[in-house]
Amino acid sequence: DVKVTQSSRYLVKRTGEKVFLECVQDMDHENMFWYRQDPGLGLRLIYFSYDVKMKEKGDIPEGYSVSREKKERFSLILESASTNQTSMYLCASSFGQGADEQYFGPGTRLTVT
Amino acid sequence: AQSVAQPEDQVNVAEGNPLTVKCTYSVSGNPYLFWYVQYPNRGLQFLLKYITGDNLVKGSYGFEAEFNKSQTSFHLKKPSALVSDSALYFCAVRRYRDDKIIFGKGTRLHILP
């Protein structure tokens, strides 16, 4: 079974802090994704990566950056956390692109106060 | 614009009855369509997908979905609902221009004992 793990289930940070969300997958998948999930808005793509050291902006990249130094690890960085970044963050991976299903981690619920 | 819509925020079904969760889409080219389920405090799990072939797709946990090109729909169905099917269900479609997956806003399914 594919396993995608995220470093924290719950996180509380203060406005202005730098926040790191870590994601690791164990199936040698090429593609990794970061989404945020908000009630009534579904999932929105923040960033994705097709290969090590490669990153592409998704639909809502503002205020975020990412890092992929190793194939199995994809980190989401909030450079200066703001209250409007309070959300559930989901990491996912897939073998291929559009036709392939994605495997999701359990999510990190981030609260910025 | 390419999109996916889930017209119902919530669906209530009595245990043992058939269930349907609706999804309609608007995409360029051939649609790649997916259903995911999210149980409480969990990440999303893949249920099934339509890429090509038979219009009736069978997936995990006894779910199936019917692709209807003329109605641009991909409704999720199950012949007999279980209380354990209560969850948040997301329909998703591949966005043709960048091969990314876009998700609907989700439908919360309540199965009443």
Side-chain angles (χ1 to χ4, degrees):
Chain A
D1 278 353
V2 177
K3 192 166 185 180
V4 180
T5 57
Q6 295 184 229
S7 51
S8 305
R9 293 299 303 273
Y10 301 94
L11 210 53
V12 180
K13 295 292 182 180
R14 294 189 181 277
T15 301
E17 280 192 83
K18 191 169 186 176
V19 181
F20 293 87
L21 303 182
E22 305 285 340
C23 175
V24 178
Q25 52 94 3
D26 66 357
M27 281 301 291
D28 203 34
H29 282 172
E30 300 288 338
N31 306 288
M32 297 189 74
F33 310 84
W34 274 106
Y35 296 91
R36 62 177 284 175
Q37 180 183 4
D38 299 289
L41 296 178
L43 275 71
R44 293 179 290 167
L45 182 63
I46 305 171
Y47 266 96
F48 59 96
S49 170
Y50 289 148
D51 200 353
V52 175
K53 296 191 183 295
M54 177 272 177
K55 57 188 178 185
E56 292 279 347
K57 294 180 179 179
D59 296 323
I60 52 164
E62 296 78 19
Y64 304 95
S65 62
V66 291
S67 172
R68 194 169 181 195
E69 296 295 321
K70 294 184 178 181
K71 189 175 186 179
E72 67 271 18
R73 188 179 297 271
F74 192 37
S75 303
L76 180 69
I77 303 158
L78 286 66
E79 296 289 343
S80 177
S82 64
T83 54
N84 62 12
Q85 293 178 309
T86 291
S87 186
M88 170 70 88
Y89 290 87
L90 295 170
C91 175
S93 71
S94 70
F95 180 72
Q97 296 187 34
D100 283 359
E101 59 268 30
Q102 295 181 14
Y103 295 84
F104 284 81
T108 296
R109 186 166 296 280
L110 172 68
T111 302
V112 183
T113 62
Chain B
Q2 300 185 28
S3 64
V4 58
Q6 295 180 243
E8 301 154 319
D9 292 335
Q10 181 168 311
V11 173
N12 297 322
V13 177
E15 187 177 24
N17 282 3
L19 69 87
T20 299
V21 183
K22 296 180 180 177
C23 173
T24 59
Y25 66 90
S26 172
V27 295
S28 303
N30 294 323
Y32 293 174
L33 296 155
F34 304 80
W35 276 102
Y36 287 83
V37 60
Q38 186 178 37
Y39 297 104
N41 300 313
R42 303 276 294 276
L44 275 69
Q45 295 179 34
F46 169 75
L47 277 179
L48 51 81
K49 68 180 177 182
Y50 172 83
I51 304 299
T52 187
D54 288 343
N55 290 343
L56 187 64
V57 180
K58 295 188 182 296
S60 306
Y61 311 122
F63 283 94
E64 58 189 27
E66 186 171 11
F67 171 65
N68 188 317
K69 189 173 184 177
S70 62
Q71 297 186 4
T72 62
S73 67
F74 189 56
H75 300 333
L76 182 70
K77 300 182 180 185
K78 188 173 182 180
S80 178
L82 300 172
V83 172
S84 58
D85 293 330
S86 298
L88 187 57
Y89 289 81
F90 289 95
C91 183
V93 65
R94 182 194 67 157
R95 186 166 59 196
Y96 191 75
R97 65 174 169 84
D98 59 4
D99 210 26
K100 292 295 157 293
I101 304 300
I102 53 174
F103 288 83
K105 296 181 179 181
T107 297
R108 189 164 295 281
L109 178 63
H110 287 285
I111 307 301
L112 309 172

